[in-house]
Structure formats: C-alpha cells, structure tokens
Amino acid sequence: MERKWWKEGCVYQIYPRSFYDFNGDGIGDLKGITKNLEYVKELGASIIWLNPCYKSPNDDNGYDISDYRAIMDDFGTMEDFDALLEKAHSLGLKIIMDLVVNHTSDEHEWFIKSSSSKDNDKSDWYIWKDQKNNWGACFGGSAWEYCESRGQYYLHSFSKKQPDLNWENKDVRNAVYDLMNYWGDKGIDGFRMDVITMISKDQSFPDGELNGEYGDSSKYTNNGPRIHEFLKEMNEKSISHYDWLTVGEGAGARVEDTLSYTDPKNKELNMIFSFEHMNYAKPQCENNWKEDKFLLPGYKRIYKKWQEGLDQRGWNTLYLENHDQVRSVSRYGNTTTKELWKKSAKALAVMYYLMQGTPYIYMGQELGLTNTCFNSIDEYRDIAAKNDYSVMLSRGFSKEDALRLLNLTSRDNSRTPFPWNENGGFTTSKPWIKYNQDISFINVESEKKDPDSILNFYKKLIALRKNSDTLIYGSFKLLEEDDESLFVYSRTLGDEKYLVVVNMSEDIRQYKTEGKVVLSNYDDSTDVLRSWEAKVVKEK
Ligand code: GLC
Ligand code: CA
C-alpha cells in the first residue's frame, strides 16, 4: 500500500467558535487557535481541520458563506489567518479548511446577482424553477423558496439562507476551483468537503418518497449522475496542484461509492466520511423519534464491511464525533459514575482509533466531554435544534419530552465551549453558548495533572499508532463477530500482529490473550476482562 502523510497523521478538529476566545467577546476566534496550537501539538495530532471561518452571516454557523476569500468578522482577519497558518506550519502542524460549495449564503454576491432577475450573467448559477417539487429541506420545511424578483423558486437543501449552487454550470465549477486554488496558493494542506456527494442533482428533479409533509430528496441529490465527473474535474483543476488531504462528507455514500471516490486510480478524493456507523441505532427526530436498540454485533459488522471493503484500494476515515454529532461517551459509553465515564471513554478511544484509516478527534473528545444539559430551548443555538423542537411541538410532544429528546440528538452538545480549566477559561466574558455542566472535572488543566486522565490516555494512544506501521497500514480482521459485549480485532502487517480487545459493557468476561500488553485502561492485565476494559496486545 502506498505510504502517504495523510494516512499516517491524526486529525484534530477545531470548531473555531468554541475553542478559545482571544479578544473577550464570548466567541472563539483565530487568534485563540494560534495561541493554543501547542496544545494540539502536545496531544500528538499532526493535522488540524478547521470548521468554516469564511465571511458568513452565520445562519448555520459559517456553513453559509458570503465571501470565500475573506474571514468571518467574529473570527478575525486574513492577517490572523496567515499568522495561524504560519505558526501551525512552524510547529509541524498541517491545516485543512472546510470547503462548503454545495451552497453559498443568500448574502453571497453571486446569489444577490442571480436572484435579481432572470437575465444576468449569474442567472443560472443557482437552481431556479417555475414549479417546485415536493422535496423537504434538511433544516425543515420545503427545499424551495419563492423569490419575488424572479417569480421563481430556488432550491435550498439546507436552510433558505443556503441556496444550492448549480454545478451543471461550468462557470460555477470554475469559480469553485479558483477559490480552492486561492487557498491552496496560500499554503493550506487540504480540504474537508461539506456535503460534497450532493453537488450533482438528478436534473429531472422528481418528487421524492413522502416522509411526513415533504418528499425525501436524497435519492436524487446524493451520489448523483455527474458526481464522479465533477470530482475528477476538480482534481484536475485544483487538487492535483497540491499535496493535499481531501476528505469528502458522504452522508449517503455506500462502500461501492466510496471505493470510486477514494481509489487513487480514479483521481478524486483521498477519503470519505461515511455515516453508516454513526446512523446505526441513532436516536433521531425524523420518523417521529424512533430510538433503535444498539446491538454490538450489528455495529461491528458495519466496521467489518467498511474495513474489508476499502482495504488495499480506498481508504477509511475513523471518527466517533464531530460538530454535527453528540458526544460519544454519552451515546455509547457509560456516564453514570465517574469511574465508568473514564473507563468507557478510554475504551471507545481504543475501539475506533486503531482500525485502518485516518483517525479524527473532535475537540473535547480527548477530555471525555459529555452531552450538555440544556434546560430550555432558549439555551440552544443551532438552527437544526430549534427546528426539531418546533416540529416536535407541532406533532404533539410536551415541552419536557421535546427537550429530553433534543438532549440525545442536538448538534449543540458538541458545540459548547472548550473547557481549559475548571472555571471554563474559554472567554473572559459570557460565552455564546453555555458550558457543559461537568467542566469542574472535565477540563484541560485538571486532566493534564492527572496521569490517569482520558487526555493522557489519548496521548499514549496517538503515540502508539504514530510509531507503528502495522497499526497504520496493517490489514484488519474482526474477531468474536457475534459477541454481544466484546469488540475484538487484529491488525497484521508482514509478521507483526496486534490484537485490540475492548469490553464494550459492564459484564465481566473470561478472555485470555498472549503477548505484550502495550496499552490498557487498567493497571494490570489478567485473564478476565473487567468493566469497559480495553487493551492492545502485541502478539508477535
Ligand atoms: C454539513 C455540515 C453541517 C452543516 C451542513 C450544511 O453536514 O457538517 O454542520 O449544517 O453540512 O452545510
Ligand atoms: Ca472572540
């Protein structure tokens, strides 16, 4: 398998709004990131993914961009960005940016022009129709919004302030490649590409299968007819000019699709964020809040399928959290006691981090941050949370039930301020969103001092993978496939072999391993696996 820096590195994701507030206005900013780059370096990560920091009216926290060549006022200036990139590089850290080009903000000059009349040089840059179909938008309501000045509807897959670009138009595509090259020439190290598998739409715009009031568009917008052609063109006109990491968000991408996206001979992307493992038994608001039961064998088989499916040809991403997901220890671990919280956060880390693929850590995950108790809808900030809440109330949920369910699902759970010390330490004023309730013991300062902390465990885990070709490039084999509490797999390269054993439960189990234990969340190793025990064994 070909060696690549982006296969070997560890990506640390920073949500700039919540990392560190340098100027004291309650909002994280670029200077705040620059000031704290050493923290990322000490953790052992080598690549930083920044959520969008371009100019934006912030309808969806920066995923609605009004100028791709300027920095969001809240976050600072282009000088601040240049200083951040320079310092990161001097520390040996790479920076990848978020590329949001399925849609722009409705305040982008392209859209202002396009919406002004039917006859202007950008009139075809967005998706305009005289008639709308039944598609629903991801953030609620119809995916079409009427525009007086054109007497037409425009498509917005997300909020109405996020109109979808028309990728059928060559000028649109070239404008995107230009802006990518603008950042490439500045020296960034790649892109995470927002909902990139949605850019090619079925041009007949058929009605979707009804799901409540609106039709489901995903069949006609995900992995669409010209997606591979567009990505190959993007690769030729931009990506191939640089030594980049490229990772596409691929909500609906299956293993077969992902192979096409990531097989190097297709010259498209390096890797895809697949969602199958995230969507497994996910509590969700769609379909009236169903909560499927989490069963470990089903969950493990998803990993097996992806690990085996991409081996030797494509490349996987490994992640449990990001700015759109809830905190993993709250979702999969056990937070009923401090002891179990700590053990289960470490066990989850071992479980996902040592498979084949590039590992991503979302800020706060390395501290074991938990979901946040928001007491009223006013404490939420996310447009999706507010929408879900009103949908639930309209379907007859009580306020208490709606809040309880939001707590299990809201993206705001992962967007609370990063806790630097027991008082928070993120800002000197009032943070834009409230802190998590547990920061008195889940924070950087306390965890740095505690040798047994989740933070210090992550450091060891990151170092272990970094120094092992087998853990990076080795083949993956799932063992004990039907076991309902153990997640066990091996990684093999040449004649070297590691065994990763994780007890994903409180059950006490007999399990004998042979070889040297190189990492464990217990002090000793026995023939018994204790509650949430995780160990990495070098068999040979
Ligand atoms: C992606 C982003 C999410 C955003 C959406 C629309 O899923 O990760 O945060 O709301 O796209 O851009
Ligand atoms: Ca600030």
Side-chain angles (χ1 to χ4, degrees):
M1 201 185 308
E2 210 186 344
R3 289 175 168 267
K4 290 286 181 192
W5 64 264
W6 46 262
K7 292 180 179 169
E8 298 179 2
C10 160
V11 185
Y12 187 73
Q13 183 190 349
I14 293 182
Y15 197 68
R17 183 162 290 273
S18 300
F19 194 55
Y20 186 82
D21 173 21
F22 189 86
N23 67 351
D25 64 355
I27 300 175
D29 41 46
L30 296 184
K31 281 197 167 126
I33 300 173
T34 309
K35 180 175 148 60
N36 289 294
L37 285 172
E38 278 85 0
Y39 171 75
V40 180
K41 174 94 187 164
E42 278 168 31
L43 180 64
S46 50
I47 304 158
I48 293 173
W49 154 24
L50 291 180
N51 284 101
C53 41
Y54 317 90
K55 206 170 199 65
S56 164
N58 281 309
D59 187 52
D60 182 20
N61 287 3
Y63 282 95
D64 48 320
I65 298 169
S66 55
D67 185 347
Y68 290 98
R69 290 175 169 80
I71 297 296
M72 188 190 298
D73 295 334
D74 287 340
F75 292 175
T77 63
M78 194 58 87
E79 287 69 54
D80 296 344
F81 180 84
D82 293 339
L84 165 59
L85 188 63
E86 197 185 316
K87 181 160 173 214
H89 283 169
S90 75
L91 290 170
L93 296 168
K94 298 189 186 279
I95 302 262
I96 67 169
M97 307 268 290
D98 218 307
L99 181 74
V100 189
V101 289
N102 173 68
H103 45 267
T104 68
S105 161
D106 64 339
E107 297 181 33
H108 194 291
E109 59 174 29
W110 299 341
F111 188 76
I112 295 175
K113 189 84 183 280
S114 187
S115 58
S116 66
S117 69
K118 280 189 184 171
D119 177 31
N120 63 73
D121 64 1
K122 304 245 169 348
S123 60
D124 193 29
W125 279 43
Y126 294 82
I127 301 171
W128 295 100
K129 297 280 176 224
D130 295 332
Q131 302 284 319
K132 51 181 178 177
N133 64 16
N134 72 358
W135 293 359
C138 288
F139 297 150
S142 165
W144 301 91
E145 180 74 6
Y146 188 70
C147 171
E148 288 288 339
S149 45
R150 285 187 57 137
Q152 285 183 306
Y153 297 92
Y154 64 85
L155 178 71
H156 59 89
S157 298
F158 294 87
S159 92
K160 61 174 187 240
K161 288 185 66 60
Q162 294 168 296
D164 285 46
L165 282 163
N166 178 18
W167 274 73
E168 300 294 315
N169 183 320
K170 207 168 185 20
D171 296 336
V172 168
R173 303 203 298 275
N174 285 330
V176 169
Y177 310 145
D178 277 355
L179 78 89
M180 292 173 71
N181 293 337
Y182 168 84
W183 289 96
D185 293 346
K186 257 187 188 298
I188 68 158
D189 303 289
F191 280 114
R192 175 267 183 183
M193 303 185 182
D194 190 60
V195 293
I196 198 70
T197 55
M198 287 174 64
I199 58 178
S200 164
K201 275 96 181 165
D202 181 329
Q203 292 301 298
S204 59
F205 293 90
D207 278 337
E209 199 177 311
L210 277 183
N211 175 14
E213 208 182 323
Y214 298 99
D216 176 7
S217 63
S218 54
K219 235 168 97 184
Y220 311 108
T221 54
N222 262 312
N223 311 305
R226 297 181 70 189
I227 182 69
H228 294 292
E229 174 195 338
F230 293 161
L231 289 176
K232 286 189 171 70
E233 184 184 72
M234 177 191 279
N235 191 296
E236 183 198 323
K237 297 206 170 171
S238 175
I239 297 173
S240 61
H241 308 177
Y242 308 97
D243 181 19
W244 274 353
L245 180 164
T246 53
V247 51
E249 187 190 22
R254 296 154 301 183
V255 173
E256 312 84 85
D257 305 311
T258 304
L259 265 180
S260 319
Y261 291 127
T262 65
D263 188 331
K265 58 174 201 295
N266 293 347
K267 298 199 167 65
E268 295 183 19
L269 304 176
N270 296 152
M271 51 191 134
I272 289 284
F273 285 124
S274 64
F275 277 62
E276 208 177 333
H277 68 298
M278 293 308 309
N279 291 342
Y280 180 75
K282 185 182 187 176
Q284 54 194 351
C285 75
E286 300 103 49
N287 314 323
N288 282 324
W289 293 98
K290 69 171 192 313
E291 262 184 80
D292 294 336
K293 197 167 157 39
F294 181 91
L295 296 169
L296 195 61
Y299 185 64
K300 289 189 291 193
R301 275 183 205 118
I302 295 173
Y303 286 100
K304 177 183 152 98
K305 181 169 84 182
W306 283 84
Q307 289 284 308
E308 290 175 356
L310 300 192
D311 190 28
Q312 304 301 323
R313 290 191 286 165
W315 189 251
N316 268 296
T317 55
L318 307 171
Y319 75 97
L320 290 182
E321 291 186 21
N322 61 40
H323 64 291
D324 293 330
Q325 303 291 343
V326 299
R327 292 295 183 177
S328 56
V329 68
S330 298
R331 180 169 172 193
Y332 306 106
N334 185 333
T335 55
T336 54
T337 68
K338 270 195 191 177
E339 186 51 31
L340 283 167
W341 157 73
K342 215 185 223 190
K343 285 274 186 288
S344 63
K346 294 175 185 175
L348 287 166
V350 172
M351 183 276 287
Y352 92 102
Y353 196 90
L354 296 177
M355 296 190 207
Q356 190 191 67
T358 299
Y360 290 74
I361 297 172
Y362 177 68
M363 64 182 222
Q365 178 188 333
E366 78 281 16
L367 304 172
L369 256 181
T370 53
N371 282 350
T372 295
C373 300
F374 295 99
N375 300 309
S376 81
I377 191 65
D378 302 328
E379 290 184 340
Y380 281 96
R381 296 289 174 266
D382 181 18
I383 179 173
K386 290 177 196 288
N387 172 60
D388 288 347
Y389 184 74
S390 57
V391 169
M392 283 189 280
L393 294 193
S394 75
R395 290 184 183 173
F397 285 74
S398 69
K399 285 186 175 171
E400 293 68 40
D401 279 349
L403 283 174
R404 185 179 59 77
L405 292 166
L406 220 43
N407 177 251
L408 293 174
T409 55
S410 170
R411 310 193 294 181
D412 276 342
N413 280 305
S414 60
R415 298 177 180 185
T416 57
F418 191 72
W420 291 96
N421 58 46
E422 57 183 22
N423 302 311
F426 156 75
T427 180
T428 50
S429 61
K430 189 173 179 313
W432 70 279
I433 187 171
K434 75 180 219 176
Y435 282 110
N436 178 283
Q437 63 285 347
D438 297 326
I439 59 169
S440 63
F441 61 96
I442 311 181
N443 66 73
V444 172
E445 198 176 278
S446 313
E447 295 201 28
K448 265 191 180 169
K449 281 189 260 182
D450 171 11
D452 185 45
S453 68
I454 298 169
L455 176 62
N456 281 316
F457 189 81
Y458 260 94
K459 288 185 185 172
K460 287 183 221 156
L461 179 63
I462 295 168
L464 178 68
R465 178 185 184 275
K466 186 187 266 174
N467 296 313
S468 163
D469 279 354
T470 302
L471 291 174
I472 298 169
Y473 294 105
S475 62
F476 168 98
K477 186 163 193 281
L478 182 67
L479 303 163
E480 315 298 344
E481 196 169 319
D482 298 320
D483 196 291
E484 285 171 14
S485 0
L486 306 185
F487 201 138
V488 185
Y489 58 88
S490 65
R491 300 292 310 278
T492 313
L493 188 72
D495 46 20
E496 192 170 79
K497 184 168 175 195
Y498 284 89
L499 189 70
V500 178
V501 183
V502 183
N503 182 0
M504 302 266 291
S505 75
E506 295 76 39
D507 303 347
I508 295 171
R509 294 282 304 272
Q510 204 68 34
Y511 200 86
K512 201 168 150 59
T513 55
E514 260 155 46
K516 182 169 180 251
V517 176
V518 291
L519 183 71
S520 167
N521 60 351
Y522 276 80
D523 290 337
D524 58 347
S525 176
T526 67
D527 290 350
V528 167
L529 286 173
R530 290 149 286 189
S531 178
W532 290 96
E533 180 160 349
K535 54 181 161 182
V536 185
V537 184
K538 191 159 184 248
E539 285 195 330
K540 48 184 186 182

